[in-house]
Amino acid sequence: MRLTYPTSFRIVRVPCSGTVDVKHILRALEKGADGVCVIGCMEGECQYKTGNLRARKRVEQVQRLLNAIGVDGERAQMYNLSSSDGPLFAKYAEDMDERIRKLGPNPMKHKTKPAA
Amino acid sequence: MIVADKKPVEEIIGYVRDCKKVLVLSCNECVTVCEAGGKKEAGMLASALRMYFANQGIADAQVDERTLERQCDQEYLEEIRDIADQYDAIVSVACGVGVQFTAEKYHSIPVFPGVNTCFMGVTEHRGLWTERCQGCGQCILAYTGGICPVARCAKRLFNGPCGGSSNGKCEINKDLDCAWQLIIDRLIAIDRLDLYEKLFDIKDWSTDRAGGPRKVEREDVQI
């Protein structure tokens, strides 16, 4: 299955989407990432029961926070995916890429200190 | 513990929008446990403020974060003595006590609250905190089965329940337990229903807020 997905994507592997905290997403955006999408397992299929549900709530919290400070909340997104569903991953990646391209570059880019 | 809730970030931005250097000061005690003003929440707020300033084109704005063990004790507040002067404002995400004590100790620096301080309460489960004590200064829990009618009865009744108690719930909210129903249930459980027969005298509210700001002074522990 040689699928292609946008080269703009950088993957950070985590043991469970529930480990991704609001602070991690904010830091990525603060340091210049144009968008952050958290991809968790399908709802109801979390090995840790509620990790993906908590991830969604955190992403929603980031969206509210971003909107409050005048940055488009759409830059943070949550997707659910089965780990064996490569084509859907590629589709989500394209979807995210398209969504962010419509929004344009992160206004924080080059204005805050880059990540160490 | 003292329970606080987060303030909307828009409100905090309103306080500091004209400042160039801001210190977000968190507290490692109660507000950390109720996830409103600990190190993590301070990090989130500082990150949001940095992004706000960057987005507004204020490139030279600086937002730092620092966590103190407590903000209600002098020795911990002294830890920022060397650096406090360089900031235009401090946003304290501690409870109202911490905000006030910080303001008191750093007289010439504006100190803004980063949380709304709510009450003294417990963690029922993660994400749900409920009130247990109003600090009335004259504890009667020995006679009420360990359940406080001051903090938990909407009317602060001392000889309850009132007629608004229905199926163990309070008339002001069907999800709210009737404190006096809880008291009676508990007295039955500990086989001390005889205490329910005791009529309380009129409470001396001078130890509550009615007597103005309060203090506890103990010569035996003073140095």
Side-chain angles (χ1 to χ4, degrees), chain B residues 13 17 30 40 67 76 78 111-112 133 176 187 200 222:
Chain B
I13 287 170
R17 63 158 53 98
C30 313
K40 190 168 110 178
T67 304
Y76 296 115
E78 285 304 313
V111 179
F112 300 112
C133 181
L176 185 69
L187 289 176
F200 284 94
Q222 285 178 1

Side-chain angles (χ1 to χ4, degrees), chain A residues 21-23 26 30 54 61 65 68-71 107-108 111-112, chain B residues 6 9-10 13 40 43-44 47-48 50-52 54-55 65 126:
Chain A
D21 196 77
V22 171
K23 208 176 159 183
L26 288 178
E30 188 189 334
R54 294 171 73 177
Q61 196 183 338
L65 196 61
I69 60 173
V71 178
M108 245 67 65
K111 289 183 185 168
T112 50
Chain B
K6 286 182 172 181
V9 71
E10 297 95 320
I13 287 170
K40 190 168 110 178
M44 282 156 51
S47 186
R50 280 193 292 267
M51 283 199 272
Y52 166 78
N55 200 27
E65 50 201 276
R126 196 169 173 198

Side-chain angles (χ1 to χ4, degrees), chain B residues 138-157:
Chain B
Q138 206 177 55
C139 194
I140 53 143
L141 288 171
Y143 307 110
T144 56
I147 291 155
C148 181
V150 178
R152 302 187 67 183
C153 170
K155 289 178 176 171
R156 292 176 149 198
L157 284 184

Side-chain angles (χ1 to χ4, degrees), chain B residues 92-105:
Chain B
S92 166
V93 285
C95 67
V97 178
V99 177
Q100 290 187 62
F101 212 31
T102 308
E104 215 172 299
K105 293 292 155 198

Side-chain angles (χ1 to χ4, degrees), chain A residues 79-94:
Chain A
Y79 294 98
N80 295 95
L81 180 72
S82 164
S83 60
S84 58
D85 201 343
L88 193 56
F89 170 78
K91 183 182 172 300
Y92 284 161
E94 275 168 20

